[in-house]
Amino acid sequence: MDANYTSFFKAEEECDKLKAHMFVWFSSKGFKKAIVGVSGGADSTVCCKLACDVLGPSNVYAVSMPNGKQSDIADARKVIEICGCNEATLNIGEMFTAMNTQFTQAGFELNDAYRSNSPARLRMAMLFGLAPLVGAVVINTCNLSEDCAWGNFSTLFGDNAGCYACLQGFTKTEVRMIGDYLGLPHDLVWKTPNDGMCGKSDEDRISELSGIKNFTYEEFDKFIRGLPHSFSKCDVQRLIHGYKIGKFKNKIVNIDHYTPSLSNMLTYLAGNN
């Protein structure tokens, strides 16, 4: 990891502030329980651990939601074992198949955008369906890098929904640093992010969409925080353009979250409106 970033971001300090914000938010709203959809990736792993630390493991429900079969389902189970919270496996496979059937029978042709985004929306519907059954609120697991990346690299009303957003104020690098501080397994915290659908990593997909060669969250996060980075002037313009394309999603789904007092060059360069 870049030395400039490790000296810039104080994981322990920010993690403590985040936990305090979460505690006050849940207390002020009268909520005592939380639901986290866990995939075994960095974001959901950190969110689950934070929720358990703030609310207690007995008040947290970690839910894995494979779409039929999931090759890395063991990672999601590992998160649940580490956190020691309540668990549930809710398979969306039959729901997705039934949804596909309805559309094809109605004469619609299924495309890649549909196949990538629909499972995320079904998973969120499943989490909100569980919420009244256990008296809990749904935790959003998106991070700042996803929200700022090309076209907003999250699914509207899918993974970008929820009641409280643990990580919305933190870049992917910062999430990983918080995960390390929390003592979570390195293989989960530093797992390559992907949507499990298109067969490509998030970084490869963003590189493909933006035209920026070898895009990485590590460089993107340094750019967001105003640290030295490797992007060219042309790349920066592409990043700004991509942010503008997707920032409407953040306005539609405006979720309560803790915002650290750190710079965000994208919102500055692109304007806040």
Side-chain angles (χ1 to χ4, degrees), residues 122-147:
L122 288 175
R123 289 186 174 102
M124 190 53 65
M126 192 73 85
L127 294 179
F128 272 98
L130 177 62
L133 302 181
V134 297
V137 295
V138 177
I139 294 291
N140 169 281
T141 60
C142 287
N143 62 61
L144 180 64
S145 301
E146 292 173 337
D147 289 344

Side-chain angles (χ1 to χ4, degrees), residues 99-248:
M99 190 174 176
N100 295 344
T101 299
Q102 289 297 313
F103 281 120
T104 54
Q105 287 181 347
F108 296 100
E109 184 176 349
L110 309 184
N111 57 28
D112 289 341
Y114 166 86
R115 292 188 183 92
S116 293
N117 291 308
S118 295
R121 294 188 174 113
L122 288 175
R123 289 186 174 102
M124 190 53 65
M126 192 73 85
L127 294 179
F128 272 98
L130 177 62
L133 302 181
V134 297
V137 295
V138 177
I139 294 291
N140 169 281
T141 60
C142 287
N143 62 61
L144 180 64
S145 301
E146 292 173 337
D147 289 344
C148 289
W150 187 267
N152 187 312
F153 216 61
S154 63
T155 298
L156 186 62
F157 302 123
D159 57 330
N160 82 334
C163 301
Y164 182 85
C166 287
L167 308 178
Q168 194 170 330
F170 297 100
T171 66
K172 188 72 173 182
T173 299
E174 292 157 7
V175 171
R176 287 169 165 162
M177 292 175 70
I178 290 173
D180 285 340
Y181 166 68
L182 291 171
L184 294 168
H186 187 272
D187 60 323
L188 299 182
V189 172
W190 292 88
K191 184 177 179 180
T192 300
N194 68 82
D195 64 6
M197 294 295 296
C198 71
K200 299 178 181 178
S201 71
D202 289 357
E203 291 166 318
D204 287 345
R205 184 61 177 147
I206 294 171
S207 183
E208 182 179 74
L209 291 169
S210 66
I212 298 173
K213 292 183 178 180
N214 302 316
F215 173 94
T216 66
Y217 278 130
E218 182 178 2
E219 289 302 305
F220 186 48
D221 295 347
K222 287 188 286 186
F223 167 70
I224 289 176
R225 294 308 190 197
L227 299 171
H229 57 81
S230 63
F231 292 120
S232 67
K233 290 183 179 180
C234 181
D235 288 341
V236 169
Q237 291 305 310
R238 290 175 184 271
L239 293 173
I240 294 171
H241 176 64
Y243 169 76
K244 287 182 176 180
I245 290 174
K247 70 176 183 177
F248 77 95

Side-chain angles (χ1 to χ4, degrees), residues 16-28:
D16 289 346
K17 289 180 179 179
L18 169 57
K19 286 182 180 181
H21 188 277
M22 288 180 65
F23 178 82
V24 170
W25 186 87
F26 273 86
S27 298
S28 66

